[in-house]
Amino acid sequence: MLHVKIPTRKEVIEEEKSKGKRIAAVYPIHYSRELFRAFNIQPVEVWGPPKTDTRKANAHLQSYICSVVQSGLSFYLEGYLDIVDLIVVPHSCDSLQGLGSIFKDFIKPKQELVTIYLPREKNKENVEFLANELKRIYKQLSQLCGFEPDNERLMEEIKTEEEIDTLVLKFYKSRGNLPLSSREFYTILRSREYLPPDKFKSILEYALLHASKGKLKKTGIVLSGLLPEPMDILDVIDDMDAFVAIDDMACCMRRVYEEGNSSDPFERMAERIVNGPPDPTKGNSFDERFEFIKSLVDLTSAKGVIFYNVKFCEPEYFYHPILKEKLGKAQIRSLIIENDINEPLPQQTITRIKAFIEMIRELS
Amino acid sequence: MDVKDKIKYIFSYKIAGKLLIELNTKKAFKNFKPPKNWRTDILAPPLRTGVYTKEIIAKHYLEGRYVSGVKPVAWVTSGAPIEILKALGFYILYPENHGALCGARKVALEISEEAEKKGYSIDICSYARTDIGATLSKKTPVGKLPKPDLLLCCTNICQTVLYWYRVLAEYYKVPLIVIDTPFVYDEAKKHDIEYVKKQLEASIEVSEKVAGKSLSFSKLKEVVRLSKMAAELWLEIMNANKNKPAPISVFDQFIHMAPIVEKRGDPETVDFYSKMLDEIRERIKNGIGAVKNERKRVLWDNLPIWYKIRFLSEFLAENGVSVVASTYTNAWGELAPMMDIERPIESMAKTYVYPILNRGTGHKLKTMETMVKEFDLDGAILHSDRSCKPYSVGQMDQRLKLLNELGVAALLLEADHNDPRAFADEQIKSRLKAFMEMMD
Ligand code: SF4
Ligand code: SF4
């Protein structure tokens, strides 16, 4: 266990506000943190949050919309986002598209609403499109904030994010040497969703100081999906003397982008997202996704993959059967489970996870 | 091209098959009468020109049986820009239409279960499940589907198609063209249109390679011209329902829309819809309404419930309710004016960004409000389709606005367009009864 205090979202919002910064509530998944930071806007991401009472959202959304969107909307309607200055809705899937549209047309929040369309394929036309989309948002933010950060300022923020991405990769690579439970590891990692870069960086650096030489002698698992919520899933894995060695999750690894090449800040931000790790919401091919997950398994010597799906999440559903088959052919065992982020893990799911870990341990 | 395939194609489709189908149509047209169990007490007879719908569809699927090796085959999404492929001589198959046909023939569930057995979740779109099931099991009510040589997926209806077509590309190992259309929250931006245009231009090379020939721009213009003509006729057919009583119901439109989806760009489709329009005008002249005792006029939002069309049509007609307008059937006509024959690629880029499903929830509400006024409607049935999230999200707010601001009765009807497990007859009947009471 590390003795490090990670501030809560609320504390961060209050502190940043007191410094005169604006706060953007950002829905999942991809966006350029650096663009917002250049305008002195602190992004605070809204992944649910889990265990939210979703009754308020029920007036706007049917029951077959995923719990991430249900909770995200309820959270807003309950007034928890009253303190923020902007609401950002990336176009990650049909349900988030709907959320953005409902906000704009019916709920009409008092805050500025920013939508981002994310291109689906990995090519240079898409980089160009996204760069233009980011320029459009730049204009919107300039109007809101009353100033236009220059290219130098944008590049500075981009470099900071790139540095952090490199550090995050280092953190992942040291996972096996860190005396952290999976819950602790992901609590640290996910604090990036709302911490200013310097704070997040210092927490990571501190944690890395505690990396030991000896590797964890536990069964490593790759966790794939949207987000590890409820976090009890991590405890269930750890309780089996196993641990999440690395992940293919939307809130974490899928957003660890590579450095861009372009010297134009907009193109560079766009390159980073478009060329980032494969992600079902970006419609990457099966081969790209398989190769990526396999590389995670190889890197960490993980013994199996758990696909942890949010119920009603179509982008993820479509990939499971073929990915499972491909992994099976490569002798990598996998398990598919699903849950609602607002529900406790059912006993049956816990039993399946335990049985899976026992099996892969016996087979290895 | 394989000579054997070609001979088989010419004989089985071009000569014998087509002839047989045409003879049947002639006979059916001449001796036209409603099907045996048709409720003539509450409904006008089906459109006589409807026999041509059957003919067009029968020919289409028959050609599909023999087309492999003769023409390049493309599988495309329902909102895809098919004009380029058409001009290159592709045989085009719409898995969504095939899915609808499976639904209407009540075999969609059995086929979907084939996909479910392989791990495809029951919570993914039931069209996709039907299509993946048909791909995996080869089950289809049309005999046989031709394998694709190319896949064309356009995200202007949903993102779901992107993942679905990835599955198809993986299974068939053929090129996949993705035309990604940025979602229009209010107005499309210049860079949105430019982005789509570039993708369309890039798609030409891939399509030409598969087709083994170059695109003729004069042919493309001709296809766009025919496509536009057919869409305009379709729009006129739908607008004819502004008359009282409405000459055809939306349930009829669901059946007769197949050619505008899968055969647009063909001269036969233009001929077909102009014949249909003549028959509809004739009905108007003679004061014939689709529902005999049209007391109330309502709108349908979202996809049809394919396996319950007859049930819903009769149940509503029994109560004098005619469904006269629909955001769904309207989608294949409303964009016709945007097509510019002289600038096909540019206008396609613009047109294909604007389908109702690629626009905001507020735009859909506006479309419904306009329909309520122009068609003089008393109510709206919003099919909350658990399979189709992009169409369904927003309906709860839309319903309230229709109710509170326009004062029309509005019902949210929970079901699924292709999965009968989401439909409970008695529950639906009582919801509809309550809705009808609201209108009285
Ligand atoms: S969980 Fe899936 S469906 Fe829900 S918001 Fe995320 S990507 Fe969309
Ligand atoms: S999700 Fe809706 S728009 Fe997309 S394929 Fe299914 S029915 Fe069609």
Side-chain angles (χ1 to χ4, degrees), chain A residues 121-186:
Chain A
E121 295 264 274
K122 216 181 203 184
N123 56 42
K124 77 176 192 322
E125 285 78 20
N126 290 10
V127 170
E128 188 187 320
F129 167 78
L130 185 55
N132 283 324
E133 186 68 353
L134 295 174
K135 279 181 197 159
R136 175 184 69 75
I137 296 165
Y138 173 92
K139 271 195 204 135
Q140 190 181 352
L141 298 181
S142 317
Q143 271 168 13
L144 177 79
C145 302
F147 71 98
E148 294 187 346
D150 58 15
N151 281 3
E152 207 178 311
R153 173 87 174 93
L154 284 166
M155 277 311 242
E156 197 184 305
E157 292 297 344
I158 294 171
K159 293 270 165 65
T160 303
E161 279 307 306
E162 289 180 345
E163 249 176 63
I164 291 183
D165 278 329
T166 310
L167 197 62
V168 168
L169 274 183
K170 194 170 166 200
F171 189 56
Y172 270 119
K173 284 182 186 155
S174 312
R175 172 69 188 106
N177 308 81
L178 292 168
L180 296 171
S181 67
S182 297
R183 186 185 274 265
E184 286 164 338
F185 183 81
Y186 280 98

Side-chain angles (χ1 to χ4, degrees), chain A residues 279-330:
Chain A
D279 180 329
T281 63
K282 291 201 265 176
N284 289 96
S285 70
F286 283 96
D287 283 344
E288 283 172 291
R289 288 211 59 207
F290 164 71
E291 290 301 337
F292 183 68
I293 296 175
K294 184 167 180 308
S295 73
L296 299 179
V297 170
D298 293 344
L299 179 76
T300 58
S301 306
K303 299 284 177 264
V305 179
I306 296 181
F307 292 101
Y308 183 51
N309 198 41
V310 175
K311 183 148 176 69
F312 298 120
C313 178
E314 274 203 330
E316 297 279 340
Y317 280 142
F318 274 94
Y319 282 87
H320 289 153
I322 294 177
L323 271 185
K324 189 168 172 54
E325 194 184 311
K326 280 183 182 283
L327 289 169
K329 281 187 186 149

Side-chain angles (χ1 to χ4, degrees), chain B residues 246-295:
Chain B
I248 66 166
S249 80
V250 160
F251 298 112
D252 301 324
Q253 291 175 11
F254 290 154
I255 307 294
H256 301 305
M257 68 185 285
I260 192 64
V261 182
E262 72 195 352
K263 299 297 280 179
R264 65 181 188 277
D266 286 351
E268 297 78 24
T269 309
V270 176
D271 296 342
F272 163 66
Y273 283 121
S274 53
K275 272 188 217 145
M276 181 167 278
L277 189 57
D278 287 345
E279 188 181 353
I280 288 172
R281 285 188 179 136
E282 198 58 32
R283 276 195 173 188
I284 294 173
K285 208 166 85 193
N286 298 325
I288 299 173
V291 168
K292 282 203 167 155
N293 165 32
E294 179 184 296
R295 274 189 329 110

Side-chain angles (χ1 to χ4, degrees), chain B residues 62-218:
Chain B
L62 183 70
E63 181 178 11
R65 274 177 147 187
Y66 301 102
V67 78
S68 293
V70 180
K71 286 184 184 180
V73 175
W75 286 22
V76 308
T77 54
S78 65
I82 44 83
E83 287 75 8
I84 294 168
L85 298 180
K86 242 211 134 133
L88 281 166
F90 275 84
Y91 171 87
I92 299 176
L93 184 98
Y94 290 77
E96 287 151 78
N97 266 27
H98 175 252
L101 192 129
C102 294
R105 300 228 186 134
K106 302 191 170 36
V107 292
L109 178 58
E110 184 197 333
I111 298 177
S112 299
E113 279 170 349
E114 296 289 342
E116 289 163 26
K117 270 190 247 163
K118 292 279 178 202
Y120 289 92
S121 166
I122 192 171
D123 290 320
I124 64 174
C125 163
S126 50
Y127 271 163
R129 262 183 290 136
T130 309
D131 184 49
I132 296 170
T135 293
L136 295 172
S137 68
K138 307 279 172 279
K139 285 185 184 169
T140 165
V142 300
K144 186 185 154 211
L145 295 176
K147 268 171 58 185
D149 302 301
L150 178 71
L151 297 162
L152 171 63
C153 162
C154 183
T155 59
N156 61 358
I157 48 170
C158 62
Q159 301 306 309
T160 299
V161 289
L162 179 60
Y163 325 125
W164 167 5
Y165 275 60
R166 278 274 176 231
V167 173
L168 294 179
E170 183 65 28
Y171 187 79
Y172 289 110
K173 306 278 181 222
V174 293
L176 165 64
I177 297 175
V178 176
I179 306 289
D180 182 28
T181 49
F183 186 72
V184 181
Y185 287 94
D186 38 55
E187 282 301 311
K189 314 283 179 305
K190 212 171 130 216
H191 69 270
D192 295 338
I193 310 286
E194 198 47 37
Y195 173 53
V196 178
K197 188 173 151 243
K198 282 196 177 150
Q199 295 176 73
L200 285 172
E201 284 164 350
S203 78
I204 297 177
E205 201 188 317
V206 184
S207 313
E208 285 179 333
K209 211 166 152 198
V210 176
K213 62 170 154 178
S214 308
L215 177 69
S216 142
F217 269 81
S218 58

Side-chain angles (χ1 to χ4, degrees), chain B residues 384-402:
Chain B
S384 168
D385 183 350
R386 77 190 296 285
S387 256
C388 187
K389 296 177 180 74
Y391 218 138
S392 307
V393 176
Q395 281 179 322
M396 300 178 85
D397 287 285
Q398 289 156 355
R399 188 187 84 86
L400 278 184
K401 293 271 177 192
L402 288 171

Side-chain angles (χ1 to χ4, degrees), chain B residues 21-32:
Chain B
I21 294 174
E22 281 165 12
L23 276 176
N24 272 339
T25 307
K26 262 194 198 146
K27 215 164 95 193
F29 193 77
K30 205 169 136 219
N31 309 323
F32 181 77

Side-chain angles (χ1 to χ4, degrees), chain B residues 305-321:
Chain B
I305 302 171
W306 290 110
Y307 48 91
K308 286 288 176 186
I309 287 189
R310 189 81 177 261
F311 169 91
L312 289 167
S313 156
E314 289 177 354
F315 185 72
L316 290 164
E318 269 168 15
N319 293 281
V321 177

